Amino acid sequence: MDKLLIIMDPKHKHQTALSRGIELARATGASLEIVAFVHEYLDALPSDPVIQNNARTALIELRQEWLEKMLALADCDDLNVVAHTVWAKQIHQWINEHCERENISTVVKTGHRSETFLYTPTDWHLIRECPAPVMLVADNKWKKAHPILAAIDLSSEKPVKRALNNRIIDHAWQLAKAMDTELHLVHALHTSVVLADLDIIDTAAHTRKREEELKPRIEHLRNTWHLNPEQVHIVAGPAQKVIPSVANKIKADMVVMGTTGKTGLAAKVIGNTAEKVLTHLRTDLVAIKPAEKD
């Protein structure tokens, strides 16, 4: 990792994203860009541009003072850090455009896990649109000895999905190596709940058949990444339940998974697996989109 972009959260009591980012930077040698955002509606002020500009400058300076206090408390003088405050209403747009321009390895942000049909939080926008991997940090303490879990899709024959699997595993492997912990893989064997409830399919037999079909791919992954059998988890069920369940079982510190980046109505109606997983997950999530060249 070359450069981490940490997003500060003034409304969050504990700056967990800052703590995670500093921990990761120390482990990987990455530099840090730390950004605090501020925006207020100035409609109540006189329309004089000078007054409006002065108010905006004062608010930015106030937020910058808060940011510098947080950095002083974080004790990160040993790291390569650039910290600044940005005036922006649409935070995700600024982050996405900034990641396009700069060589950002990962965006680190506190995770907020709520959504309605008419309101999409910044986290969802970043998962769907950000060109860089996005780490959404949970409140629980980082436990260095616990594994990194990579969630992959072994069922697809599409080249883009296979390439994304490789990106997910490679990113998770690098994190596990940097944090001196184990890499685990998980694949959810999806079975139609409706068909199972109607006894149209034998769920157990279907699961055994799929596991047998996936054996060559699993063996290839184990040999490639030097994994023991207990480090690969093949579990029947929907991914949004299987992944958090396995993460909880192995006490993972972080889950790395892919996202298709659906946007608009498709994302509202169909949803993204990464977003569904996030609502159940109680640890950090790193969401990675397919590479454009894929």
Side-chain angles (χ1 to χ4, degrees):
M1 291 188 177
D2 298 320
K3 190 176 186 180
L4 304 179
L5 178 64
I6 300 178
I7 309 303
M8 298 294 286
D9 187 351
K11 295 181 180 179
H12 204 266
K13 182 178 180 181
H14 304 290
Q15 296 300 316
T16 49
L18 179 60
S19 300
R20 295 289 201 275
I22 290 172
E23 189 92 37
L24 198 55
R26 287 200 174 107
T28 63
S31 63
L32 293 177
E33 181 177 358
I34 303 173
V35 181
F37 290 92
V38 63
H39 184 273
E40 296 288 344
Y41 290 102
L42 304 178
D43 297 346
L45 295 177
S47 59
D48 186 338
V50 175
I51 295 177
Q52 296 258 339
N53 187 63
N54 288 343
R56 175 173 163 169
T57 300
L59 289 168
I60 291 174
E61 289 176 351
L62 187 63
R63 181 56 50 84
Q64 183 67 22
E65 289 176 9
W66 170 83
L67 173 58
E68 290 172 2
K69 288 179 182 177
M70 293 299 100
L71 294 181
L73 292 172
D75 189 22
C76 55
D77 292 340
D78 58 313
L79 299 174
N80 181 8
V81 177
V82 173
H84 57 109
T85 296
V86 172
W87 180 275
K89 180 182 178 182
Q90 299 294 338
I91 292 174
H92 66 278
Q93 289 182 2
W94 186 93
I95 295 172
N96 293 341
E97 291 169 3
H98 189 70
C99 288
E100 288 281 4
R101 293 190 304 267
E102 303 293 329
N103 185 28
I104 301 298
S105 302
T106 301
V107 176
V108 184
K109 182 186 177 298
T110 306
H112 296 283
R113 308 175 186 215
S114 62
E115 178 180 22
T116 67
F117 194 83
L118 296 176
Y119 170 69
T120 304
T122 300
D123 295 5
W124 286 183
H125 280 297
L126 292 177
I127 286 177
R128 296 167 187 171
E129 303 159 16
C130 187
V134 178
M135 177 186 292
L136 297 176
V137 176
D139 288 331
N140 59 315
K141 186 179 179 181
W142 194 307
K143 303 177 183 64
K144 295 182 183 179
H146 289 184
I148 307 296
L149 179 64
I152 55 177
D153 181 3
L154 298 177
S155 62
S156 178
E157 300 291 341
K158 295 179 180 179
V160 66
K161 284 290 186 72
R162 292 197 173 192
L164 181 56
N165 282 339
N166 290 333
R167 293 191 73 207
I168 292 166
I169 298 173
D170 182 66
H171 196 88
W173 180 83
Q174 291 186 45
L175 286 168
K177 183 180 178 182
M179 304 308 295
D180 192 25
T181 189
E182 283 188 346
L183 169 66
H184 284 236
L185 307 181
V186 60
H187 167 69
L189 289 170
H190 180 71
T191 302
S192 171
V193 176
V194 175
L195 295 180
D197 288 344
L198 293 173
D199 291 329
I200 294 175
I201 61 171
D202 184 333
T203 305
H206 177 77
T207 299
R208 287 192 298 270
K209 180 182 177 182
R210 290 294 296 129
E211 288 177 339
E212 194 65 28
E213 292 171 348
L214 291 175
K215 266 188 178 181
R217 294 187 188 181
I218 294 169
E219 287 300 313
H220 175 71
L221 288 174
R222 283 188 52 214
N223 293 332
T224 302
W225 299 96
H226 308 290
L227 303 175
N228 296 322
E230 59 270 18
Q231 290 173 265
V232 180
H233 309 268
I234 309 298
V235 182
Q240 63 264 30
K241 293 184 179 180
V242 167
I243 295 170
S245 176
V246 172
N248 182 62
K249 180 181 177 181
I250 66 173
K251 295 182 172 59
D253 276 341
M254 188 185 306
V255 171
V256 182
M257 67 179 298
T259 173
T260 58
K262 294 187 184 76
T263 59
L265 187 60
K268 292 289 188 182
V269 177
I270 303 171
N272 286 304
T273 302
E275 296 167 15
K276 294 176 182 177
V277 167
L278 186 61
T279 61
H280 297 284
L281 199 62
R282 293 298 174 262
T283 189
D284 298 351
L285 173 73
V286 179
I288 299 176
K289 294 212 309 298
E292 289 186 6
K293 63 181 180 180
D294 294 338

